[in-house]
Amino acid sequence: MNIPKHVATLGQSLWLDNLSRSLLRDGTLARLIAEDGISGVTSNPSIFEKAFATSPYYADDLKRLKDSEPDAERRYEALAIPDIQAACDLLLPTYEARDGNDGYVSMEVAPRWAYDTARTVEEAQRLSAAVNRRNLLVKVPGTPEGVSALETLTTLGINVNVTLLFSVAQTEAIFHAFIRGLNARVQADAGVRHSKAVASLFLSRIDTLVDTQLTAIGTQAALSLRGKAAVAMARLAYQRYLGIFHGEAFAALAARGATPQYLLWASTGVKNPDYRDLLYVEPLIGAETINTLTDKTIIALRDHGDPALRVEEGVAEAETQLAELARLGIDMDAVGNTLQDDGIKLFEASFQKLLQQTG
């Protein structure tokens, strides 16, 4: 059995959390699409920083750009956008076969605009026009300013991957912003059938931070909760997804052909070597979800994955686990806000290193 392809039969899309010219030119991405059913690609500043540092296929273009383009950020985009376009083109048959509900590639707005709604909207429009592909998702952060940007961009008909979500509260705010944007399109007599957004909920970083807090508490009850917060939170976020997008709030939009804003499980590479390498994959397989996987995690899934519908299992247990965390003084909303701010700082640091590489 081809395990990654079997996951797709359970209703979950698997996307590759990586992109480089090497993956495109040596045929790796095409093989992942054909052989493993990979149906999307996500990128971010850290991914492009690594690509520019390790792939041999950028040097000639960068030398040319240094002679013709004085701005380092525009040089970065001139290198990255052709990769995004090429990946979009490889995934276009998937996009068309699934009626625009899969087959996307994500490109991120510069992290420094994470707290500026107007500039996020402006940059998302500019990148969308520059890439000029139907199956592009522009990535914007799930900050309060990003919530407003999502609503505006959805109203404008630009498809979005909302990134750096770390709590149920942040995710639910994004769901409602997407619905407001769709309703604004309806009020403007614009179609919603081709509107698409996903909500990227980051997982491994949650356990990394919460585990540190639990270890500091040190009681047996606290230590028994290590490695459980992220999956519990994801399962409860999925319950909110079902309640919102398969409930009254979305019914009228669904009747007009709108599709829900799927949850995308991000940061699913395990950081603690004591945990199973598929900790953030196997428990979260479910209909109308996406998991974006590193190359290493795809290999692990292919080798020893045990795919089954599990995201709706253990909901009561998940509620109990989060309640116990709260009793111990761990506020998951505060954890989410801290991780979101830290994530933006990390992406901005990667973005600055990336610009130095093109300087």
Side-chain angles (χ1 to χ4, degrees), residues 31-253:
R31 286 194 297 273
L32 286 169
I33 295 168
E35 297 174 9
D36 291 307
I38 295 300
S39 58
V41 169
T42 50
S43 70
N44 59 45
S46 298
I47 285 172
F48 275 117
E49 180 198 347
K50 181 180 177 181
F52 291 175
T54 59
S55 174
Y57 297 117
Y58 297 100
D60 290 345
D61 283 348
L62 180 56
K63 184 177 184 300
R64 173 181 54 79
L65 286 165
K66 285 182 177 180
D67 294 332
S68 61
E69 175 53 70
D71 185 82
E73 188 165 338
R74 294 297 176 263
R75 288 197 292 270
Y76 149 67
E77 290 177 359
L79 294 172
I81 286 174
D83 293 358
I84 296 289
Q85 291 171 322
C88 284
D89 293 343
L90 278 175
L91 285 158
L92 184 60
T94 302
Y95 171 88
E96 292 178 335
R98 301 182 188 177
D99 197 25
N101 206 33
D102 207 347
Y104 286 91
V105 180
S106 297
M107 184 176 186
E108 191 150 347
V109 168
R112 68 177 176 279
W113 306 122
Y115 304 106
D116 186 329
T117 297
R119 194 58 187 265
T120 295
V121 170
E122 179 184 330
E123 289 295 294
Q125 290 177 287
R126 185 180 64 80
L127 287 176
S128 180
V131 174
N132 191 29
R133 295 294 190 273
R134 290 179 291 161
N135 53 335
L136 173 73
L137 294 176
V138 181
K139 291 179 84 171
V140 305
T143 57
E145 294 80 4
V147 172
S148 298
L150 168 66
E151 181 177 345
T152 300
L153 290 167
T154 301
T155 303
L156 294 171
I158 292 175
N159 295 335
V160 176
N161 176 344
V162 183
T163 188
L164 293 174
L165 299 172
F166 294 92
S167 71
V168 175
Q170 290 171 357
T171 305
E172 190 167 349
I174 288 298
F175 289 159
H176 291 301
F178 180 55
I179 290 173
R180 290 195 300 270
L182 292 176
N183 281 324
R185 285 187 64 77
V186 170
Q187 292 170 8
D189 292 324
V192 294
R193 184 173 296 277
H194 299 294
S195 294
K196 181 68 177 178
V198 301
S200 292
L201 186 58
F202 283 54
L203 301 177
S204 65
R205 297 186 197 181
I206 292 167
D207 278 338
T208 298
L209 178 54
V210 172
D211 283 2
T212 300
Q213 296 175 341
L214 291 168
T215 300
I217 294 169
T219 63
Q220 184 175 351
L223 297 178
S224 70
L225 288 167
R226 289 180 299 182
K228 296 179 179 178
V231 169
M233 186 198 63
R235 283 175 162 159
L236 296 186
Y238 186 72
Q239 290 300 304
R240 294 305 302 135
Y241 165 84
L242 293 175
I244 291 169
F245 288 105
H246 290 275
E248 185 177 346
F250 197 69
L253 289 165

Side-chain angles (χ1 to χ4, degrees), residues 12-31:
Q12 182 175 83
S13 299
L14 297 181
W15 291 4
L16 175 66
D17 192 27
N18 194 13
L19 182 62
S20 73
R21 225 164 259 189
S22 294
L23 291 175
L24 291 162
R25 294 194 180 178
D26 69 11
T28 297
L29 180 56
R31 286 194 297 273

Side-chain angles (χ1 to χ4, degrees), residues 268-324:
T268 55
V270 173
K271 292 179 168 55
N272 187 330
D274 293 332
Y275 296 159
R276 179 168 167 78
D277 54 4
L278 297 173
L279 172 63
Y280 306 115
V281 181
E282 291 169 335
L284 299 176
I285 295 173
E288 299 180 0
T289 62
I290 303 162
N291 201 319
T292 182
L293 308 176
T294 64
D295 309 65
K296 181 179 178 180
T297 309
I298 290 173
I299 291 169
L301 179 63
R302 188 191 297 141
D303 178 67
H304 53 265
D306 178 23
L309 290 169
R310 295 190 181 94
V311 72
E312 292 190 77
E313 294 179 356
V315 172
E317 182 183 16
E319 290 173 341
T320 299
Q321 288 167 343
L322 294 192
E324 182 63 13

